[in-house]
C-alpha cells in the first residue's frame, strides 16, 4: 500500500514573546520556578498588532509552498484547524487562500476548503481528512495543505494566563511523504466534558485542575482503544511519544501514566519489581480508594527509577523543547511536539528513518486520539532547513505593560490603537476591516 503522510512542515511563531520567569512572575508575585520548572514554559509567543491566525497560518503555508516549489495547482485541499476563529460562517481557510492568491500565479478555486476545532486533535483530524481523501483516490494527484493556527489567550488574571501562546504549523499531506507516514490504526477516547470551553466568547472558561484529569482519562482510553486494534504497546516500539502539550508539565504527568501502562506485564515491570514492587492490580484491593492509593504510591516510586528517567529523557523530553519556548498553540500543539522531536534528532545526528512515533492528540471538551507514525527517509532534509531557531530568537521581548497592550489589541471587545513592535518584512499582515466587517490582509515585501 502506498504510504500517505506528512511530506513537509513549516512553523510561524507570533513575533512577540513574554518572559514568564523574568516579566510575568514578579508582577504576579509568584516564584519564577512555578513557570520554568512546574509549568515548564519559559516564553509565550504572542502576535504583534498586525498578526492574527490568518497571517500566521498564511505565512507558514507560504514558507512551505516556497520550500517545496509548489503552486496553487498542486494543492487540492486547504483545511484549517483553529480554536480562535473570528468568523462563524466564512472559514479561515478561505481567508488564507485569499492571502496566498496575492503572491502566487493561479488560484485555489479548485481546492476544497474547510475548518475544524478541537485543539490539536482537530489538526490531526485534518490530517485524517487528507489521508482519507488521498486513499480514496479523490485527490487527482494533488496534495493537501493542513494549517493549525491559534492565538491562545486567556482572560487576564486567569490561571491559564501562564499557558498562553500564538503561532501556526503548516503541513503538506501527500503520497510517499518525506517526513512521516500515518498508521491506519487509531484509538479514540471521547466524552462530553465541561472543563475548557468558549461558548460564544473569545477567552475560555477553564476549570484548570479538572482539565488535567480529563486530559489524562481520555488519553488513557485512547491508548487502550489503539491497543485493541494495533496490539500492546511497548516502550521500545517507539522512538518518541509526541503528545498534545498545553505546557510541558502536563506531558510530564501523561508520560508517567503512559509509561506505567506500556510497561505493565513486560520484562521492564519485572526488572523494576526488586526496587519498587509490581504494579498494583485492582483485584488485589478491597476498595477502589485503596487501589488508587497504591497506584499513586507506585507512580511516586516509578518516577524516581533510572529506567523511567532514561526513557523520559530519550522519548519525551525532545518533544517538549519547542513548546517550552512558545507556550500553548492549541491546534498546533502536537504538531509542534512532533517537529520538536525531529529537530532534536537531527541536531544530535540520530538516524530515525524507519523508526516509529506514537502520537497523542487531544482537545478539551473532550477527545484524545492515538496513532503511530513511521519516519521516512527524507525526514532530516525536511526539518533541517527550518528557520525555527531564528524565528524564536528574533521575537521582541515585551515588558509587562506592553504585554497588557498586546492582550488588549487582540481582545475582540476592545478597540485600542497600539504601534507595532516589530517591522513586517516578506510576510502577510492584517490591514483592517472591509465594508462587510471582513478582516483584510496584504503581503508586505
Ligand atoms: P495554577 O493553579 O496557577 O498552577 O495553574 P499550580 O499551582 O497547579 O502550579 C503548576 C505546577 O507548578 C504544579 O505542578 C506546581 O507544583 C508547580 P504539579 O503539582 O501540577 O506537577 N510549581 C512549582 N514547581 C517548581 N517551583 C516552584 C513551583 N510552584 C508551583 N516554585 C494550570 C496551572 C495548568 C491549571 C493553569 O495554567 C491552567 O488552567 N491552564 C489552562 C488549562 C490547561 O492548560 N489545561 C491542560 C489540560 S487541557 C488541554 O490540554 C486542552 C487545552 O489545550 C485547550 C484546548 O485547546 O482544547 C488547554
Amino acid at each position: 500500500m502506498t504510504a500517505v503522510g506528512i511530506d513537509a512542515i513549516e512553523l510561524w511563531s507570533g513575533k512577540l514573546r513574554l518572559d514568564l520567569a523574568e516579566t510575568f512572575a514578579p508582577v504576579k508575585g509568584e516564584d519564577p520556578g512555578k513557570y520554568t520548572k512546574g509549568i515548564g514554559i519559559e516564553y509565550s509567543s504572542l502576535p504583534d498588532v498586525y498578526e492574527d491566525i490568518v497571517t500566521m497560518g498564511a505565512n507558514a503555508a507560504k514558507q512551505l509552498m516556497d520550500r517545496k516549489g509548489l503552486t496553487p495547482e498542486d494543492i487540492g485541499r486547504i483545511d484549517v484547524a483553529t480554536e480562535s476563529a473570528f468568523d462563524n460562517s466564512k472559514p479561515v481557510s478561505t481567508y488564507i487562500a485569499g492571502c496566498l492568491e496575492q503572491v502566487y500565479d493561479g488560484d485555489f478555486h479548485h481546492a476544497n476548503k474547510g475548518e475544524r476545532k478541537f485543539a490539536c486533535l482537530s489538526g490531526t483530524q485534518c490530517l485524517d481528512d487528507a489521508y482519507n481523501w488521498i486513499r480514496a483516490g479523490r485527490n487527482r494527484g494533488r496534495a493537501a495543505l493542513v494549517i493549525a493556527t491559534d492565538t491562545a489567550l486567556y482572560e487576564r488574571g486567569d490561571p491559564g494566563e501562564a499557558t498562553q501562546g500564538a503561532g501556526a504549523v503548516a503541513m503538506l499531506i501527500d503520497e510517499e511523504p518525506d517526513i512521516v507516514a500515518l498508521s491506519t490504526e487509531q484509538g479514540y477516547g471521547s466524552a462530553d466534558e465541561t472543563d475548557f470551553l468558549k461558548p460564544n466568547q473569545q477567552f475560555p472558561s477553564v476549570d484548570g485542575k479538572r482539565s488535567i484529569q480529563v486530559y489524562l482519562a481520555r488519553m488513557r482510553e485512547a491508548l487502550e482503544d489503539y491497543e485493541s486494534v494495533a496490539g500492546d504497546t511497548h516502550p521500545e516500539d517507539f522512538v518518541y511519544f509526541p503528545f498534545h502539550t498545553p505546557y510541558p508539565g502536563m506531558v510530564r504527568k501523561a508520560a508517567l501514566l503512559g509509561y506505567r501502562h506500556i510497561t505493565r506485564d513486560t520484562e521492564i515491570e519485572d526488572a523494576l519489581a526488586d526496587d519498587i514492587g509490581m504494579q498494583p492490580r485492582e483485584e488485589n484491593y478491597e476498595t477502589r480508594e485503596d487501589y488508587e492509593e497504591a497506584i499513586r504510591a507506585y507512580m511516586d516510586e516509578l518516577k524516581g527509577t533510572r529506567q523511567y528517567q532514561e526513557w523520559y529523557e530519550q522519548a519525551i523530553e525532545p518533544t517538549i523543547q519547542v513548546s517550552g519556548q512558545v507556550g500553548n498553540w492549541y491546534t498546533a500543539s502536537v504538531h509542534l511536539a512532533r517537529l520538536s522531536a525531529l529537530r532534536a534528532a537531527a541536531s544530535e545526528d540520530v538516524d530515525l528513518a524507519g523508526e516509529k512515533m506514537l502520537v497523542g492528540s487531544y482537545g478539551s471538551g473532550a477527545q484524545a486520539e492515538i496513532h503511530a507514525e513511521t519516519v521516512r527517509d527524507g525526514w532530516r532534509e525536511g526539518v533541517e532547513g527550518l528557520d525555527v531557531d531564528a524565528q524564536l530568537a528574533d521575537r521582541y521581548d515585551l515588558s509587562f505593560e506592553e504585554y497588557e497592550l498586546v492582550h488588549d489589541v487582540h481582545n475582540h471587545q476592545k478597540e485600542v490603537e497600539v504601534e507595532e513592535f516589530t517591522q513586517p518584512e516578506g510576510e502577510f499582515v492584517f490591514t483592517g476591516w472591509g465594508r462587510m466587517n471582513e478582516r483584510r490582509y496584504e503581503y508586505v515585501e
Side-chain angles (χ1 to χ4, degrees):
M1 197 160 56
T2 319
V4 176
I6 304 174
D7 190 49
I9 310 181
E10 278 286 348
L11 157 165
W12 189 276
S13 167
K15 293 169 78 175
L16 311 177
R17 74 179 194 191
L18 177 65
D19 185 326
L20 292 180
E22 297 293 324
T23 309
F24 187 74
V27 178
K28 297 286 164 184
E30 296 275 12
D31 181 330
K34 170 172 172 180
Y35 305 104
T36 52
K37 298 201 185 80
I39 285 175
I41 300 178
E42 215 175 325
Y43 301 103
S44 285
S45 282
L46 295 169
D48 205 337
V49 299
Y50 55 84
E51 294 188 289
D52 67 10
I53 51 170
V54 171
T55 64
M56 294 186 296
N59 286 324
K62 179 172 183 300
Q63 283 195 329
L64 186 150
M65 288 181 66
D66 288 348
R67 190 151 57 82
K68 297 294 276 188
L70 302 173
T71 66
E73 195 49 44
D74 301 314
I75 309 285
R77 320 174 50 107
I78 305 179
D79 288 302
V80 169
T82 185
E83 292 195 340
S84 325
F86 48 80
D87 193 318
N88 286 326
S89 171
K90 182 175 152 60
V92 168
S93 48
T94 61
Y95 286 93
I96 291 182
C99 286
L100 296 172
E101 284 172 355
Q102 293 180 28
V103 295
Y104 292 109
D105 289 337
D107 59 49
F108 290 101
H109 290 201
H110 57 273
N112 189 5
K113 304 181 191 86
E115 184 176 311
R116 279 179 173 271
K117 60 167 172 261
F118 221 162
C120 78
L121 171 68
S122 59
T124 301
Q125 289 170 329
C126 291
L127 298 185
D128 288 347
D129 289 342
Y131 178 98
N132 296 333
W133 170 72
I134 293 170
R135 279 258 174 275
R138 290 173 143 186
N139 61 322
R140 301 189 231 164
R142 289 183 171 124
L145 193 52
V146 169
I147 301 161
T149 180
D150 264 301
T151 299
L153 290 178
Y154 291 75
E155 200 81 66
R156 290 226 288 278
D158 187 289
E161 202 181 4
T163 59
Q164 300 182 120
V169 171
M171 293 168 278
L172 190 74
I173 318 308
D174 208 349
E175 289 175 82
E176 298 301 350
D178 276 348
I179 299 186
V180 290
L182 307 182
S183 66
T184 45
E185 296 83 6
Q186 292 178 289
Y188 297 101
S190 189
D192 177 10
E193 298 276 9
T194 310
D195 58 327
F196 171 109
L197 55 159
K198 302 188 197 175
N200 283 328
Q201 63 196 48
Q202 184 188 0
F203 301 129
S205 300
V206 197
D207 182 343
K209 301 289 183 231
R210 195 171 138 60
S211 75
I212 295 170
Q213 296 314 317
V214 175
Y215 176 117
L216 296 174
R218 302 288 79 80
M219 218 38 120
R220 199 188 64 172
E221 271 175 11
L223 182 55
E224 285 170 352
D225 193 44
Y226 172 78
E227 288 182 324
S228 75
V229 282
D232 284 349
T233 46
H234 186 284
E236 281 166 17
D237 295 343
F238 303 99
V239 61
Y240 296 119
F241 295 70
F243 283 111
H244 175 63
T245 312
Y247 55 96
M250 181 72 240
V251 171
R252 275 201 298 275
K253 294 181 204 292
L256 186 60
L257 272 178
Y259 190 74
R260 176 170 65 90
H261 182 95
I262 63 180
T263 54
R264 192 175 310 138
D265 296 323
T266 68
E267 74 292 354
I268 301 176
E269 183 187 10
D270 294 339
L272 286 168
D274 282 348
D275 291 332
I276 63 170
M278 296 295 278
Q279 295 193 18
R281 270 40 179 197
E282 191 161 6
E283 59 273 19
N284 299 332
Y285 293 85
E286 282 196 358
T287 65
R288 178 83 194 169
E289 288 71 41
D290 291 348
Y291 170 57
E292 285 176 3
E293 181 61 44
I295 288 183
R296 275 194 291 276
Y298 180 84
M299 303 261 283
D300 271 351
E301 298 276 351
L302 181 62
K303 204 188 323 181
T305 62
R306 179 186 51 78
Q307 285 91 331
Y308 174 71
Q309 287 177 0
E310 282 179 6
W311 173 79
Y312 183 90
E313 278 307 306
Q314 284 165 18
I316 303 290
E317 205 280 331
T319 70
I320 57 177
Q321 288 171 1
V322 175
S323 162
Q325 296 300 305
V326 303
N328 193 357
W329 289 10
Y330 291 159
T331 53
S333 166
V334 80
H335 311 293
L336 272 182
R338 175 198 294 109
L339 180 57
S340 181
L342 294 174
R343 276 169 38 85
S347 75
E348 284 159 24
D349 216 16
V350 179
D351 184 11
L352 286 186
E355 299 280 0
K356 286 193 163 60
M357 297 191 279
L358 194 70
V359 180
S361 307
Y362 179 73
S364 281
Q367 181 166 308
E369 185 267 4
I370 288 192
H371 68 267
E373 297 181 357
T374 307
V375 183
R376 305 272 296 173
D377 289 344
W379 73 276
R380 189 185 298 277
E381 218 188 328
V383 300
E384 262 179 356
L386 303 189
D387 65 345
V388 179
D389 292 332
Q391 280 195 47
L392 300 189
D394 287 350
R395 288 173 296 175
Y396 176 89
D397 235 323
L398 293 165
S399 68
F400 194 81
E401 293 69 30
E402 289 170 335
Y403 154 67
E404 289 185 305
L405 288 174
V406 167
H407 197 282
D408 285 351
V409 166
H410 295 286
N411 181 338
H412 299 166
Q413 304 300 322
K414 293 192 178 173
E415 270 188 42
V416 284
E417 288 287 322
V418 179
E419 283 287 304
E420 55 209 32
F421 295 91
T422 60
Q423 196 56 41
E425 194 187 328
E427 65 195 273
F428 296 101
V429 297
F430 167 67
T431 56
W433 285 265
R435 77 184 166 91
M436 291 176 75
N437 208 23
E438 77 279 17
R439 289 174 75 89
R440 301 184 64 87
Y441 301 93
E442 252 172 39
Y443 186 76
V444 174
E445 291 295 341

